[in-house]
Amino acid sequence: MSTNEQELKALMTAGLDGDAAAYRMLLERLSQHLRSYYRGRLSRVGRGDFEAEDLLQETLLAIHTRRHTYDRAEFFTPWMHAIARYKLIDYLRHTNSSYRDVPLEDAGELTSHADHDGVESSIDLRRLMARLPVKMQQAIKYVKLDGLSVAEAARRSGMTESAVKISIHRGLKALSAVIRPEHKT
Protein backbone atom coordinates (compact mmCIF):
# COMPACT_ATOMS: atom_id res chain seq x y z
CA MET A 1 0.00 0.00 0.00
CA SER A 2 1.48 3.35 -1.03
CA THR A 3 2.02 6.17 1.45
CA ASN A 4 -0.60 8.26 -0.34
CA GLU A 5 -3.10 5.39 -0.13
CA GLN A 6 -2.34 4.82 3.55
CA GLU A 7 -2.72 8.51 4.37
CA LEU A 8 -5.95 8.96 2.40
CA LYS A 9 -7.46 5.78 3.80
CA ALA A 10 -6.56 6.83 7.34
CA LEU A 11 -8.14 10.25 6.80
CA MET A 12 -11.28 8.68 5.31
CA THR A 13 -11.74 6.17 8.12
CA ALA A 14 -11.10 8.86 10.75
CA GLY A 15 -13.67 11.06 8.99
CA LEU A 16 -16.17 8.19 8.97
CA ASP A 17 -15.56 7.83 12.70
CA GLY A 18 -16.51 11.48 13.23
CA ASP A 19 -13.15 13.26 13.08
CA ALA A 20 -14.15 16.48 11.29
CA ALA A 21 -10.57 17.78 11.03
CA ALA A 22 -9.42 14.56 9.33
CA TYR A 23 -12.37 14.71 6.96
CA ARG A 24 -11.58 18.33 6.01
CA MET A 25 -7.94 17.33 5.43
CA LEU A 26 -9.13 14.44 3.22
CA LEU A 27 -11.27 16.79 1.11
CA GLU A 28 -8.35 19.23 0.77
CA ARG A 29 -6.01 16.45 -0.41
CA LEU A 30 -8.62 15.10 -2.78
CA SER A 31 -9.26 18.59 -4.15
CA GLN A 32 -5.60 19.00 -5.07
CA HIS A 33 -5.40 15.60 -6.69
CA LEU A 34 -8.74 15.72 -8.53
CA ARG A 35 -8.22 19.29 -9.76
CA SER A 36 -5.02 18.17 -11.48
CA TYR A 37 -6.69 15.02 -12.83
CA TYR A 38 -9.65 16.92 -14.32
CA ARG A 39 -7.56 19.76 -15.74
CA GLY A 40 -5.33 17.26 -17.52
CA ARG A 41 -8.17 15.19 -18.90
CA LEU A 42 -10.33 18.14 -19.93
CA SER A 43 -7.48 20.07 -21.54
CA ARG A 44 -6.98 17.10 -23.90
CA VAL A 45 -10.53 17.58 -25.20
CA GLY A 46 -10.30 21.37 -25.43
CA ARG A 47 -12.11 22.16 -22.20
CA GLY A 48 -11.19 24.81 -19.66
CA ASP A 49 -10.26 25.06 -15.99
CA PHE A 50 -13.70 26.30 -14.96
CA GLU A 51 -15.17 22.99 -16.14
CA ALA A 52 -12.55 21.15 -14.11
CA GLU A 53 -13.64 23.12 -11.04
CA ASP A 54 -17.29 22.23 -11.67
CA LEU A 55 -16.39 18.56 -11.97
CA LEU A 56 -14.24 18.78 -8.86
CA GLN A 57 -17.16 20.13 -6.83
CA GLU A 58 -19.54 17.49 -8.21
CA THR A 59 -17.07 14.74 -7.39
CA LEU A 60 -16.41 15.97 -3.85
CA LEU A 61 -20.16 16.13 -3.30
CA ALA A 62 -20.58 12.60 -4.66
CA ILE A 63 -17.78 11.31 -2.42
CA HIS A 64 -19.42 13.02 0.55
CA THR A 65 -22.91 11.69 -0.14
CA ARG A 66 -21.65 8.16 -0.89
CA ARG A 67 -19.04 7.94 1.85
CA HIS A 68 -21.22 5.46 3.74
CA THR A 69 -20.71 2.99 0.86
CA TYR A 70 -16.93 2.92 1.32
CA ASP A 71 -15.78 -0.48 2.58
CA ARG A 72 -12.99 0.04 5.13
CA ALA A 73 -11.51 -3.35 4.26
CA GLU A 74 -10.78 -2.15 0.72
CA PHE A 75 -8.32 0.38 -0.70
CA PHE A 76 -9.60 3.95 -0.72
CA THR A 77 -8.07 5.36 -3.93
CA PRO A 78 -9.74 2.91 -6.37
CA TRP A 79 -13.11 3.72 -4.77
CA MET A 80 -12.44 7.46 -5.08
CA HIS A 81 -11.11 7.16 -8.64
CA ALA A 82 -14.16 5.17 -9.72
CA ILE A 83 -16.38 8.05 -8.63
CA ALA A 84 -14.08 10.61 -10.30
CA ARG A 85 -14.00 8.69 -13.59
CA TYR A 86 -17.76 8.20 -13.57
CA LYS A 87 -18.27 11.93 -13.04
CA LEU A 88 -15.90 12.75 -15.91
CA ILE A 89 -17.50 10.28 -18.32
CA ASP A 90 -20.98 11.43 -17.34
CA TYR A 91 -19.97 15.07 -17.85
CA LEU A 92 -18.49 14.38 -21.28
CA ARG A 93 -21.61 12.51 -22.34
CA HIS A 94 -23.96 15.23 -21.13
CA THR A 95 -21.97 18.00 -22.79
CA ASN A 96 -22.08 16.13 -26.10
CA SER A 97 -18.35 15.74 -26.44
CA SER A 98 -17.50 14.47 -29.85
CA TYR A 99 -15.67 11.14 -29.79
CA ARG A 100 -13.11 12.52 -32.24
CA ASP A 101 -12.16 15.14 -29.62
CA VAL A 102 -11.43 12.49 -26.98
CA PRO A 103 -7.93 10.99 -26.80
CA LEU A 104 -7.83 7.36 -27.91
CA GLU A 105 -6.97 6.05 -24.43
CA ASP A 106 -10.14 7.68 -23.01
CA ALA A 107 -12.54 6.75 -25.83
CA GLY A 108 -13.19 3.30 -24.40
CA GLU A 109 -14.41 4.85 -21.16
CA LEU A 110 -16.98 6.96 -22.99
CA THR A 111 -18.42 3.99 -24.80
CA SER A 112 -17.95 1.34 -22.11
CA HIS A 113 -21.39 1.87 -20.61
CA ALA A 114 -23.02 1.37 -23.99
CA ASP A 115 -21.85 -2.23 -24.31
CA HIS A 116 -24.20 -5.19 -24.38
CA ASP A 117 -22.95 -6.65 -21.10
CA GLY A 118 -24.04 -3.51 -19.26
CA VAL A 119 -27.46 -3.56 -20.88
CA GLU A 120 -27.87 -7.26 -20.16
CA SER A 121 -26.78 -6.77 -16.54
CA SER A 122 -29.33 -4.00 -16.14
CA ILE A 123 -32.08 -6.20 -17.58
CA ASP A 124 -31.02 -9.10 -15.32
CA LEU A 125 -31.06 -6.85 -12.27
CA ARG A 126 -34.55 -5.58 -13.11
CA ARG A 127 -35.79 -9.15 -13.54
CA LEU A 128 -34.31 -10.21 -10.22
CA MET A 129 -35.66 -7.15 -8.40
CA ALA A 130 -39.13 -7.76 -9.87
CA ARG A 131 -39.28 -10.97 -7.81
CA LEU A 132 -39.24 -8.93 -4.61
CA PRO A 133 -42.12 -7.10 -2.96
CA VAL A 134 -42.30 -3.42 -3.95
CA LYS A 135 -41.14 -2.12 -0.55
CA MET A 136 -38.02 -4.31 -0.69
CA GLN A 137 -37.33 -3.16 -4.24
CA GLN A 138 -37.61 0.47 -3.16
CA ALA A 139 -35.37 0.03 -0.12
CA ILE A 140 -32.64 -1.74 -2.10
CA LYS A 141 -32.87 0.70 -5.01
CA TYR A 142 -32.74 3.82 -2.84
CA VAL A 143 -29.92 2.71 -0.53
CA LYS A 144 -27.82 0.22 -2.48
CA LEU A 145 -28.24 1.48 -6.05
CA ASP A 146 -28.96 5.21 -5.66
CA GLY A 147 -26.68 5.71 -2.64
CA LEU A 148 -29.26 7.39 -0.41
CA SER A 149 -29.03 7.21 3.35
CA VAL A 150 -31.41 4.92 5.20
CA ALA A 151 -33.16 8.01 6.61
CA GLU A 152 -33.70 9.48 3.13
CA ALA A 153 -34.89 6.13 1.77
CA ALA A 154 -37.36 5.90 4.67
CA ARG A 155 -38.73 9.36 3.88
CA ARG A 156 -39.09 8.61 0.18
CA SER A 157 -40.71 5.22 0.64
CA GLY A 158 -42.91 6.12 3.61
CA MET A 159 -41.29 3.40 5.73
CA THR A 160 -39.51 3.58 9.06
CA GLU A 161 -35.72 3.40 9.06
CA SER A 162 -35.91 -0.02 10.73
CA ALA A 163 -38.30 -1.26 8.05
CA VAL A 164 -35.90 -0.03 5.34
CA LYS A 165 -32.97 -1.87 6.96
CA ILE A 166 -35.00 -5.05 7.37
CA SER A 167 -36.28 -4.83 3.77
CA ILE A 168 -32.75 -4.43 2.45
CA HIS A 169 -31.46 -7.34 4.52
CA ARG A 170 -34.30 -9.68 3.59
CA GLY A 171 -34.33 -8.55 -0.03
CA LEU A 172 -30.60 -9.10 -0.51
CA LYS A 173 -30.87 -12.47 1.21
CA ALA A 174 -33.70 -13.45 -1.16
CA LEU A 175 -31.76 -12.26 -4.20
CA SER A 176 -28.69 -14.14 -3.03
CA ALA A 177 -30.72 -17.33 -2.72
CA VAL A 178 -31.99 -16.92 -6.29
CA ILE A 179 -28.54 -16.20 -7.69
CA ARG A 180 -26.67 -18.89 -5.75
CA PRO A 181 -29.05 -21.69 -4.83
CA GLU A 182 -27.65 -24.02 -2.24
CA HIS A 183 -26.74 -27.44 -3.57
CA LYS A 184 -28.02 -30.12 -1.25
CA THR A 185 -26.45 -33.52 -1.41
Side-chain angles (χ1 to χ4, degrees), residues 46-77:
R47 302 298 179 102
D49 288 348
F50 72 94
E51 291 169 301
E53 289 299 316
D54 288 346
L55 266 171
L56 170 63
Q57 294 307 315
E58 282 186 42
T59 303
L60 291 176
L61 182 62
I63 288 169
H64 176 73
T65 59
R66 290 176 179 83
R67 68 188 182 278
H68 67 280
T69 66
Y70 172 65
D71 181 352
R72 295 167 188 247
E74 300 295 326
F75 288 112
F76 173 74
T77 51

Side-chain angles (χ1 to χ4, degrees), residues 3-12 20-38 56 59-60 63 76-77 80-81 84:
T3 303
N4 195 37
E5 168 63 27
Q6 289 175 337
E7 179 184 7
L8 293 175
K9 184 174 183 170
L11 290 171
M12 178 64 164
Y23 192 65
R24 271 192 308 278
M25 178 70 73
L26 173 71
L27 294 178
E28 287 174 17
R29 297 268 165 75
L30 293 180
S31 293
Q32 295 166 1
H33 174 74
L34 292 170
R35 183 175 289 115
S36 174
Y37 170 75
Y38 286 136
L56 170 63
T59 303
L60 291 176
I63 288 169
F76 173 74
T77 51
M80 179 266 302
H81 278 284

